Amino acid sequence: MNQHVLAAIRSQPWAILPGYLEALEAIATRVLDHPAVLAVKEDGHQERQISAVAQMGVRAPGTRGSMLRDGVGMLPISGPIFPRANIMTEMSGATSLDVAAADLRALQASPDVRSILAVIDSPGGAVAQVNDFARLVAASPKPVSVHITGMCCSAAYWIGSQAAGGMSMDPTGVVGSIGVLISTSYQVNPDAMGRRELDIASSNAPNKRPDLSTEEGQAQIRQMLDGIEEIFIGAVARGRGVTDAVVRREFGAGGTLTGKAAKAAGMVDRIEADGLDGAIRRLAKAAPAAPRRTAAANQLALAQARALA
């Protein structure tokens, strides 16, 4: 069974910090003393999550995991991101996009919610459905803002960059890791039972099972990853109001940026000295602001009207 789970992990592309993907694979095979698993346990995410929940108020009506404080509906996105609920999301603090989407719609519909704050501390996750969820965030009829309490990396940044209300972060927050990877393996020696596994594809499907021991096979997989990365970069560029070239050049090139460096690069809008509590108080005091893209459109319309006048 563990090998089937590992095979499922390795069968799909991921937008996640590499160390977390390594930890997921180790957990799948029950190697719980693996260095990657121990590193995740010690990265402080559990303490950050407990602290964040304590500041977010009460459970928002009609939601499974969202909170409500002073008119601000908070949508937590924490831990590895998966498209659907599973044992990891139910027991390990990971995020299910189908649950998050349902909560987002509930916050949008609630008369008690004036604005929405996505509270993010995530290394990223599986690519499946991330673009669809990011589009829900971008199209929200109520302004969505983001505050980063820890990490907002890879798939999490893909989502967070779409927040029309802007992005703030703790001074020690980490953003970036824009890119896509896949973990896989190929047979080198016969297995422990003295048998070698072989896959034979049909005559007209030579690319169905590429030989990953060759440069040609790796290039085929990389071509697929590059296609996903192109969509990822395009979404980030639209969300942050910059060009694709700026994202490729200034947004870490797959690495991460912290605090002031992230703001200087344009990856976030604000360093929140008072952390999550400060972000909530700021949104609670402010009237619902025009989303960044709506405000820009209004300015353009005003300039055109003045030109005609």
Side-chain angles (χ1 to χ4, degrees):
M1 178 63 72
N2 295 340
Q3 292 302 317
H4 291 305
V5 176
L6 181 61
I9 291 173
R10 290 179 169 177
S11 69
Q12 60 183 309
W14 293 78
I16 193 170
L17 288 172
Y20 270 78
L21 183 55
E22 189 177 4
L24 288 175
E25 292 188 349
I27 292 170
T29 53
R30 299 189 181 278
V31 185
L32 302 183
D33 59 350
H34 190 284
V37 176
L38 298 178
V40 168
K41 286 182 178 180
E42 297 170 0
D43 71 359
H45 73 277
Q46 292 180 326
E47 293 80 4
R48 292 194 302 269
Q49 188 172 12
I50 292 170
S51 175
V53 170
Q55 299 174 65
M56 286 193 286
V58 299
R59 179 67 57 84
T63 69
R64 287 182 59 178
S66 292
M67 309 292 282
L68 179 63
R69 173 180 155 189
D70 298 333
V72 181
M74 278 153 284
L75 180 71
I77 298 175
S78 59
I81 295 170
F82 297 92
R84 290 171 295 280
N86 55 44
I87 191 169
M88 295 288 290
T89 62
E90 295 298 323
M91 300 181 64
S92 303
T95 292
S96 158
L97 290 181
D98 58 355
V99 172
D103 275 12
L104 177 59
R105 293 187 179 99
L107 294 175
Q108 291 167 345
S110 173
D112 298 325
V113 175
R114 294 193 306 274
S115 60
I116 299 171
L117 178 65
V119 182
I120 299 181
D121 188 358
S122 169
V127 166
Q129 297 186 20
V130 168
N131 194 48
D132 290 341
F133 185 77
R135 291 170 65 185
L136 287 179
V137 171
S140 176
K142 290 182 179 178
V144 177
S145 302
V146 163
H147 182 74
I148 301 156
T149 60
M151 296 179 286
C152 183
C153 295
S154 225
Y157 189 78
W158 190 336
I159 292 167
S161 67
Q162 305 308 296
M167 301 178 72
S168 64
M169 67 188 295
D170 284 6
T172 56
V174 177
V175 298
S177 192
I178 296 173
V180 187
L181 73 162
I182 193 167
S183 174
T184 188
S185 63
Y186 58 87
Q187 191 82 35
V188 176
N189 295 310
D191 64 23
M193 300 299 292
R195 300 172 64 87
R196 185 189 299 272
E197 293 185 1
L198 295 175
D199 293 305
I200 302 175
S202 57
S203 300
N204 293 308
N207 294 330
K208 194 175 185 68
R209 181 68 76 179
D211 183 354
L212 300 181
S213 66
T214 67
E215 291 186 3
E216 292 80 4
Q218 294 174 23
Q220 182 185 328
I221 299 298
R222 187 173 293 108
Q223 183 178 26
M224 179 268 290
L225 297 178
D226 286 348
I228 299 172
E229 182 188 67
E230 184 176 357
I231 298 170
F232 187 172
I233 289 175
V236 169
R238 289 190 300 274
R240 297 303 299 163
V242 298
T243 65
D244 288 17
V246 168
V247 174
R248 296 177 192 276
R249 185 177 65 248
E250 306 292 341
F251 281 29
T256 57
L257 297 176
T258 301
K260 292 181 180 179
K263 184 177 183 300
M267 296 185 74
V268 298
D269 302 295
R270 182 187 185 100
I271 306 300
E272 199 76 60
D274 292 331
L276 175 59
D277 186 65
I280 297 170
R281 286 188 280 107
R282 174 169 50 84
L283 289 175
K285 290 179 181 178
R292 181 171 60 241
R293 287 181 294 278
T294 301
N298 290 342
Q299 290 175 0
L300 178 60
L302 179 60
Q304 291 173 337
R306 287 173 174 170
L308 291 174

